[in-house]
Amino acid sequence: MSLTASSKVVTANDLRSGEVLYLRFPHSWTPELAKASVIKDSDLAKASLAFAQGQPNAVVGAYLSDVIDEIDGPKASHFRETFRSTGPSNYRHGKQEV
Amino acid sequence: MYEYSSFDHEFIAERVTQFRAQVARRLDGSLTEDEFKPLRLMNGLYLQLHAYMLRVAIPYGTLNSRQMRQLAMIAERWDKGYGHFTTRQNIQFNWPKLEDVPSILQALADVEMHAIQTSGNTVRNVTADHFAGAAADELADPRPIAELIRQWSTDHPEFQFLPRKFKIAVTGSPNDRAVTRAHDIGLRMIVQDGLRGFEVIVGGGLGRTPMIGKTLSPFVPLDDLLPYLEAVVSTYNLLGRRDNKYKARIKMTTHEHGIEEIKQRVEAQFAKIKPRFAGADLQLLKDIEQHFAPPKFKPLIAQVEADSAPAQTPVFRAWLDTNITAHKAPGYAIVSVSLKKPGATPGDASAAQMRALAKIARNFGHDELRISHEQNVILPHVHRADLPQVFQALRQADLAAANIGLVSDIIACPGMDYCALATARSIPVAQQIATRFQALKLEHDIGPLKLKISGCINACGHHHVGHIGILGLEKAGVESYQITLGGDATTEAEIGTRAGPGFGADEILPAIERLLLGYLKLRLDRHESFLEAYRRLGLVPFKALLYPQTRKAA
Amino acid sequence: MIVIVNDHGFSLQNDLTIAADLSSDFDPEEITSELLQRSCIRITLDSFADGRGFTLAARLRQCGYQGHLRLAGYVLADQYAMARRSGFDDVEISQEFATRQPEPQWLARADWRAHDYQSRLRRPAGPSQQNVESRN
């Protein structure tokens, strides 16, 4: 076992809606970053990404994204990923809709 | 306006059927995502940051009230109640679901619209002067030739997998409003010895390596235009680089091979294919031209001229000053409807606003609307006597911002609020600048100004040709905004000069404010525009305004 | 094992001898009269996104090539109409491609003569081409 350089989550877009999704162990997808499974082991990261890429009929464009692991769940460490996890700033659309 | 022939109808219907099957094949696994991607892109469907995005073509920016109402219906039924008009005379829906897209395409087909070739490495939606057929200064309406090019480029079997995307713009006026020098091919109408033709400009483009297009031929007669274009695109298809997408546009091909070699190859190929067209194209053009006959203009009624209307209010007067352009028909005006109300998202219109625009166009505008590359809506044919009513109707729809050509009339791409390619946000920067200058009440004092914002190096927001350009990048993990100065999108197109290091997201508004307040002191008088002052004084004094600390330190 | 696709669907019969094998980066300036005399030319694409093959086929036809023209390699069923309209006679794909993109997906584009803007814009090239349709 070897540690990843930083904590990671697997993210992708839903094939049908395009919505941003995160992998939640063992094998479900959640639209909420806070509920995503945080990965710190590089073998697990590889295996999780492979699992995601093996679901072409569920998700598109899976990749590993860096996160900061906090008590109330992971937070994106790059602003692009923050926007993906929240939604656009001009309207309360996407994940901001109640 | 062009109306589909039975051929167009059948073609579009067939494409909807094909795309429905392609979506089904993607979902059943016959097509991988890699294979499906170019097929969905050919039909304008992207996967963006938060959702799919469907880009619908508005060929040469022209649409009628029925089409605008259908866009409103689509926005409400399959999206979130609005649409975003782009710098390429398209409309984008930001939230469609993959499985709904074939039905959206069907709804578009019902009103003679489509999303074909609004993406992908192919000839894109042909753009034109948004004042075409109305402007007092044009030689002739460029839209019939744009429609012919649309038909020629649509589903062209050789050109669906070009090295990179390919954009064509056409103008019929010597005053270029279509930014022809920043397109892969720019066509400028010219009349030579009574013969109509086009100057063909090639290799312009913004993006990572901005270039002003070069003249490939000073005059191609109208009769030769289609085979000539085919020769250009065919030459590019073979010669353009496929090993590096940043070097794949025809501007780079032209740069690497030289305009002379391109010209030689194009002319050899033109000679070979010209006989094959044999006039069928010109016959079709004649047919198309009939669709663009000017509307039956109402006569001039001197006593109800808007300018002397008794009901004038200061707001109406202000709106007349900024949002009206001279029309070729006496008694008529071109109305620009601003989609840039300070604080709003540039280019966005709600479904209710689209319906209001459709109604105004039908009641007062000979049923025509245009989308400008500046992300505004144009009512090209309004009788001056109707201007007060048009203004009232626009006010009711919250569409009466009197700011065309001013600092708050900002071009902004969707940026990182939506776009998967973006490196920073554009919309909040535009919102802040517009809101601030409205509060300062300095817009009219500052006068004509083109401020253009792109959220990445691809330059959809045309920042290189803005008098002030803002480019959003990422620097050390945060958004950073670079300013370029002195760009120009008109006939004398020019690429702006980078002013210096970038500004943080919280520094960009104060920087623009320093720049423009400083300009007010630098200009000779209020007749000297920002661009004129910049051209007279050069970069140095403006740079000093942007970077006061540096100056003190030096 | 290879599969030949034509307007009638799949065929495992491959009785043509390839007289010239061109890759998509072949420079059409090197089209010689000798090449134009060959009976069967094959152009192979390494990627479906490489559009040069289509222009190359068109150029060969424009130079007067009358022989058989075959497109091979990484070709999608959706490109069949493009191939036929550009001047190819048929397409050669691998068994693996034929399995993933079965015959009906190719036959769906066997109507390549229909809905073709190009045929309205130029001189009819042969008896198979439709004349310019009238508007109705």
Side-chain angles (χ1 to χ4, degrees):
Chain A
M1 161 165 171
S2 62
L3 288 178
T4 50
S6 66
S7 301
K8 293 187 189 299
V9 296
V10 176
T11 183
N13 289 77
D14 184 271
L15 171 64
R16 286 175 163 78
S17 70
E19 184 172 12
V20 174
L21 297 176
Y22 302 94
L23 185 64
R24 184 173 163 82
F25 291 157
H27 32 60
S28 65
W29 292 95
T30 171
E32 292 172 68
L33 175 55
K35 292 184 179 163
S37 298
V38 178
I39 306 167
K40 296 180 179 176
D41 170 73
S42 56
D43 289 337
L44 182 59
K46 249 183 246 167
S48 303
L49 182 61
F51 167 78
Q53 287 167 342
Q55 296 201 307
N57 290 342
V59 296
V60 180
Y63 61 94
L64 291 163
S65 163
D66 289 350
V67 291
I68 301 157
D69 197 11
E70 293 184 354
I71 287 172
D72 52 347
K75 298 249 171 1
S77 63
H78 188 281
F79 63 89
R80 183 179 193 269
E81 290 303 318
T82 306
F83 296 144
R84 280 184 82 240
S85 72
T86 54
S89 56
N90 61 333
Y91 303 117
R92 298 192 65 78
H93 284 161
K95 296 185 191 301
Q96 301 159 97
E97 282 170 70
V98 200
Chain B
M1 253 190 78
Y2 184 69
E3 281 171 32
Y4 276 12
S5 63
S6 57
F7 181 92
D8 293 309
H9 276 293
E10 285 162 22
F11 173 83
I12 300 294
E14 176 64 20
R15 279 293 289 251
V16 174
T17 308
Q18 280 169 22
F19 191 64
R20 211 177 273 285
Q22 285 162 351
V23 170
R25 284 161 61 210
R26 171 67 185 91
L27 294 174
D28 75 16
S30 308
L31 286 170
T32 66
E33 182 60 22
D34 281 350
E35 291 164 352
F36 178 62
K37 191 175 168 184
L39 302 176
R40 69 166 155 80
L41 291 179
M42 273 178 206
N43 291 288
L45 187 64
Y46 283 77
L47 182 54
Q48 293 286 32
L49 223 46
H50 314 292
Y52 285 98
M53 178 272 279
L54 182 67
R55 182 182 290 156
V56 175
I58 299 169
Y60 33 89
T62 299
L63 70 173
N64 61 26
S65 62
R66 179 166 164 249
Q67 292 170 323
M68 188 64 116
R69 279 199 310 276
Q70 191 79 334
L71 295 176
M73 186 281 283
I74 290 169
E76 280 178 344
R77 180 158 174 201
W78 289 295
D79 208 89
K80 295 189 189 289
Y82 74 104
H84 174 76
F85 291 103
T86 77
T87 52
R88 297 217 69 258
Q89 300 181 314
N90 296 309
I91 182 169
Q92 296 180 174
F93 293 107
N94 285 325
W95 304 93
K97 301 218 180 340
L98 178 59
E99 282 155 298
D100 290 337
V101 174
S103 301
I104 299 175
L105 295 181
Q106 181 59 56
L108 290 168
D110 291 344
V111 295
E112 309 190 352
M113 293 182 81
H114 62 72
I116 293 168
Q117 291 177 215
T118 56
S119 176
N121 293 335
T122 182
V123 179
R124 300 287 189 90
N125 182 34
V126 181
T127 54
D129 182 352
H130 44 266
F131 293 163
D137 60 11
E138 82 179 1
L139 297 169
D141 191 338
R143 292 173 301 161
I145 198 73
E147 171 59 26
L148 185 69
I149 295 170
R150 181 190 76 83
Q151 297 194 20
W152 161 77
S153 62
T154 297
D155 207 24
H156 194 298
E158 283 181 58
F159 304 146
Q160 296 303 302
F161 293 90
L162 294 171
R164 199 77 178 87
K165 58 187 162 184
F166 203 93
K167 300 174 182 176
I168 302 177
V170 198
T171 176
S173 164
N175 298 309
D176 188 359
R177 283 174 290 261
V179 212
T180 56
R181 282 201 185 275
H183 284 77
D184 295 284
I185 290 180
L187 299 173
R188 290 187 183 182
M189 196 183 292
I190 286 175
V191 176
Q192 207 171 74
D193 306 324
L195 189 66
R196 200 186 293 169
F198 288 89
E199 176 189 0
V200 178
I201 298 159
V202 74
L206 303 175
R208 185 172 296 248
T209 317
M211 288 191 188
I212 297 296
K214 297 182 178 75
T215 302
L216 186 64
S217 171
F219 185 78
V220 174
L222 188 62
D223 292 8
D224 292 345
L225 191 67
L226 228 41
Y228 193 87
L229 289 179
E230 185 156 295
V232 176
V233 185
S234 156
T235 300
Y236 164 64
N237 195 24
L238 293 174
L239 218 54
R241 285 179 63 167
R242 289 171 186 270
D243 60 334
N244 180 342
K245 77 177 215 176
Y246 301 117
K247 296 188 172 171
R249 293 286 288 273
I250 196 172
K251 62 185 174 188
M252 300 306 289
T253 319
T254 309
H255 183 68
E256 287 175 3
H257 290 263
I259 188 96
E260 282 311 314
E261 187 193 334
I262 302 289
K263 194 175 183 148
Q264 203 186 326
R265 284 177 183 257
V266 165
E267 280 171 7
Q269 178 63 11
F270 168 76
K272 200 171 280 173
I273 59 176
K274 166 69 182 165
R276 294 176 165 255
F277 280 79
D281 53 335
L282 300 171
Q283 198 52 49
L284 191 57
L285 179 63
K286 277 212 180 77
D287 187 11
I288 292 168
E289 274 171 348
Q290 290 175 6
H291 291 254
F292 289 95
K296 288 194 172 61
F297 292 123
K298 294 185 280 184
L300 175 70
I301 319 162
Q303 57 270 39
V304 290
E305 268 254 12
D307 305 79
S308 57
Q312 261 192 49
T313 59
V315 272
F316 178 53
R317 180 82 249 170
W319 179 79
L320 284 179
D321 282 347
T322 47
N323 294 37
I324 301 299
T325 309
H327 197 285
K328 66 180 178 187
Y332 269 77
I334 301 171
V335 173
S336 293
V337 179
S338 169
L339 295 183
K340 314 292 179 63
K341 183 190 172 188
T345 302
D348 277 14
S350 68
Q353 288 176 323
M354 290 183 217
R355 288 201 181 93
L357 286 162
K359 193 172 169 189
I360 296 167
R362 210 178 50 176
N363 292 346
F364 304 109
H366 294 276
D367 204 31
E368 253 197 79
L369 295 143
R370 306 286 174 77
I371 305 306
S372 76
H373 80 267
E374 291 174 320
Q375 300 176 287
N376 291 314
V377 176
I378 313 295
L379 295 159
H381 312 296
V382 178
H383 197 283
R384 286 187 164 269
D386 295 329
L387 287 172
Q389 281 169 280
V390 168
F391 178 69
Q392 275 316 317
L394 289 172
R395 268 188 106 175
Q396 281 167 14
D398 204 15
L399 286 168
N403 63 351
I404 296 293
L406 302 180
V407 55
S408 58
D409 183 10
I410 298 170
I411 287 185
C413 72
M416 202 182 270
D417 283 306
Y418 297 91
C419 179
L421 299 173
T423 43
R425 289 172 299 173
S426 311
I427 293 168
V429 177
Q431 289 171 318
Q432 283 173 41
I433 295 172
T435 309
R436 178 66 182 150
F437 281 92
Q438 187 194 37
L440 289 171
K441 299 200 183 307
L442 280 174
E443 281 203 279
H444 287 87
D445 199 12
I446 291 165
L449 186 77
K450 302 287 186 190
L451 203 155
K452 305 181 193 241
I453 309 174
S454 304
C456 82
I457 193 71
N458 293 310
C460 294
H462 295 186
H463 65 278
H464 296 110
V465 291
H467 303 167
I468 300 173
I470 300 178
L471 165 63
L473 295 168
E474 177 194 334
K475 202 176 163 192
V478 293
E479 291 163 295
S480 170
Y481 295 91
Q482 252 176 30
I483 293 179
T484 52
L485 296 173
D488 182 8
T490 64
T491 313
E492 306 310 319
E494 210 164 320
I495 303 292
T497 305
R498 196 182 139 191
F503 295 91
D506 54 349
E507 298 167 345
I508 183 68
L509 175 62
I512 297 294
E513 197 173 321
R514 284 196 302 279
L515 182 67
L516 288 176
L517 296 180
Y519 147 72
L520 294 177
K521 292 187 185 129
L522 287 170
R523 69 185 180 187
L524 291 173
D525 57 44
R526 53 177 304 131
H527 300 295
E528 189 181 48
S529 70
F530 179 86
L531 185 62
E532 288 161 350
Y534 176 84
R535 285 180 173 163
R536 177 172 59 85
L537 295 164
L539 180 62
V540 175
F542 293 94
K543 196 170 173 172
L545 294 166
L546 287 172
Y547 305 98
Q549 270 73 30
T550 325
R551 193 171 55 161
K552 264 180 230 154
Chain C
M1 199 60 179
I2 57 160
V3 175
I4 304 297
V5 192
N6 60 30
D7 293 356
H8 307 293
F10 284 2
S11 161
L12 296 172
Q13 295 285 318
N14 180 23
D15 39 18
L16 279 171
T17 311
I18 305 299
D21 239 327
L22 307 184
S23 59
S24 60
D25 61 357
F26 181 82
D27 185 350
E29 297 204 342
E30 288 169 30
I31 296 175
T32 59
S33 54
E34 191 271 326
L35 181 68
L36 295 173
Q37 296 305 313
R38 306 275 181 104
S39 62
C40 181
I41 299 178
R42 179 168 63 185
I43 298 172
T44 302
L45 304 185
D46 291 333
S47 157
F48 65 83
D50 186 351
R52 287 175 297 187
F54 301 99
T55 285
L56 195 51
R59 295 263 177 131
L60 281 166
R61 294 300 189 200
Q62 287 153 13
C63 289
Y65 179 65
Q66 306 260 327
H68 194 91
L69 201 48
R70 175 170 290 176
L71 179 63
Y74 196 159
V75 186
L76 303 182
D78 306 88
Q79 292 177 309
Y80 183 75
M82 295 169 209
R84 293 290 276 131
R85 290 169 179 172
S86 299
F88 288 106
D89 293 295
D90 55 21
V91 176
E92 174 189 316
I93 53 170
S94 67
Q95 186 65 55
E96 180 227 325
F97 267 56
T99 307
R100 196 155 55 81
Q101 303 184 83
E103 193 175 34
Q105 298 185 1
W106 296 81
L107 280 172
R109 301 313 312 275
D111 64 342
W112 56 276
R113 286 187 186 84
H115 313 298
D116 178 21
Y117 275 104
Q118 297 313 313
S119 61
R120 291 156 53 84
L121 292 168
R122 48 198 91 208
R123 185 199 295 277
S128 62
Q129 296 278 354
Q130 293 168 356
N131 285 321
V132 175
E133 285 175 33
S134 60
R135 179 180 296 276
N136 50 31

